[in-house]
Amino acid sequence: MSLPSPTPAPGRRASRGPSDAPPRVLTIAGSDSGGGAGIQADLKAMLALGVHGMSVITAVTAQNSLGVQGYWELPAEAVRAQFRSVVDDIGVQAVKTGMLASIELVETVSELLSGVAAPVVVDPVGVSKHGDALLAAEAVATVREKLLPVATVVTPNLHEVTQLTGRTVEDESQMLDAARALVDLGPSWALVKGGHLEGEAADLLYGGPDEVHWYRAPRYDNRHTHGTGCTLASSIAAGLAKGESLPEAVGSAKEYITGAIAGGFALGAGIGPVDHAWRWR
């Protein structure tokens, strides 16, 4: 007995055929055992945005709503093997990097990405939401010198801007100079995230004098924002994999993360995650 073909819900397109795979995005990042950030957040965002997420795990963390209790890096050989396994067989249409932790891992990933003809979104993870260090201090220079030059776009928060450029951003008027300083380090574009400033949640995308784009959204009074940076960077990568221009991909990602922040929910005794499934609830 044959079964009828499934009927898509109103507003949803029909399922793809068995040979028509969705766009493919690779995240190279650490695992968050609490499920709010890192690899887990990346894959949730990618699923929500209609792309096929794949992963290269660089480190394993013991992490919950209260903070990071410990992390263990994977050997560079394991990172390289995961990358080659995925890229050489399945292929990628965009890549996102997150927690890389050490000089050796930054160097390894930078070398691997230099041979990939796909856009690269670098989230230069330095500390967790709770203030726990996730990048060795001595590795910051390696991020500047080796990782940023292979990036299509770098997406630092204001603390990471200071780490990378030495500049302190205290208001919106200083964001453009910070973005210029970041692009001078090698990426084609820089997205300076102003989430830690007062007022609207304003982000600035800079790709040169003729490519200055501001993105603004309401600021929600919700402390449960774990995974914001990972989710935004992964969302940008998803948009690029689907063929959007970078300004379009950032706009789509900003709309998605704003809804996810508004829907952030409590878990445990500390800071809960953003809601990656907010569009389905």
Side-chain angles (χ1 to χ4, degrees):
M1 171 180 168
S2 62
L3 296 175
S5 299
T7 301
R12 296 181 182 269
R13 63 183 180 183
S15 299
R16 293 181 174 88
S19 62
D20 188 12
R24 292 143 292 161
V25 182
L26 176 65
T27 169
I28 306 173
S31 168
D32 174 359
S33 56
I39 289 283
Q40 287 81 352
D42 296 339
L43 295 177
K44 290 175 188 177
M46 292 171 189
L47 176 64
L49 295 172
V51 300
H52 176 68
M54 304 169 292
S55 64
V56 170
I57 298 176
T58 60
V60 175
T61 69
Q63 186 172 173
N64 56 26
S65 70
L66 297 173
V68 180
Q69 291 78 48
Y71 73 80
W72 298 265
E73 301 165 26
L74 267 69
E77 179 184 2
V79 170
R80 189 176 293 108
Q82 291 175 80
F83 183 92
R84 291 265 62 97
S85 179
V86 171
V87 173
D88 293 349
D89 173 48
I90 301 172
V92 296
Q93 288 160 290
V95 181
K96 175 261 180 183
T97 72
M99 176 186 178
L100 300 181
S102 69
I103 290 175
E104 184 179 20
L105 289 181
V106 174
E107 289 179 338
T108 298
V109 171
S110 301
E111 177 188 350
L112 290 168
L113 292 176
S114 67
V116 172
V120 176
V121 180
V122 170
D123 182 17
V125 175
V127 297
S128 75
K129 178 68 67 179
H130 308 88
D132 304 293
L134 296 175
L135 178 70
E138 62 270 21
V140 174
T142 312
V143 171
R144 278 195 299 263
E145 296 164 9
K146 297 196 173 181
L147 185 60
L148 294 191
V150 301
T152 304
V153 59
V154 60
T155 64
N157 61 30
L158 299 185
H159 173 78
E160 292 157 353
V161 167
T162 302
Q163 266 193 323
L164 294 170
T165 69
R167 294 174 178 267
T168 300
V169 177
E170 297 178 336
D171 57 54
E172 282 189 22
S173 68
Q174 298 172 314
M175 291 173 70
L176 182 56
D177 283 342
R180 291 192 187 106
L182 286 162
V183 168
D184 286 344
L185 294 174
S188 301
W189 299 76
L191 178 67
V192 177
K193 300 179 294 190
H196 294 151
L197 299 177
E198 299 295 325
E200 286 184 305
D203 302 330
L204 172 63
L205 177 66
Y206 176 80
D210 298 324
E211 294 285 1
V212 179
H213 307 268
W214 285 94
Y215 303 85
R216 299 181 183 277
R219 186 179 297 278
Y220 291 96
D221 184 18
N222 184 359
R223 66 188 291 263
H224 301 300
T225 56
H226 186 48
T228 305
C230 306
T231 300
L232 180 66
S234 295
S235 302
I236 294 169
L240 292 173
K242 291 188 287 188
E244 296 175 4
S245 68
L246 186 57
E248 290 172 337
V250 173
S252 300
K254 179 73 169 178
E255 190 266 338
Y256 174 70
I257 191 60
T258 299
I261 290 171
F265 51 88
L267 281 182
I271 299 173
V274 300
D275 185 2
H276 296 92
W278 67 271
R279 284 177 172 162
W280 304 333
R281 299 194 196 283

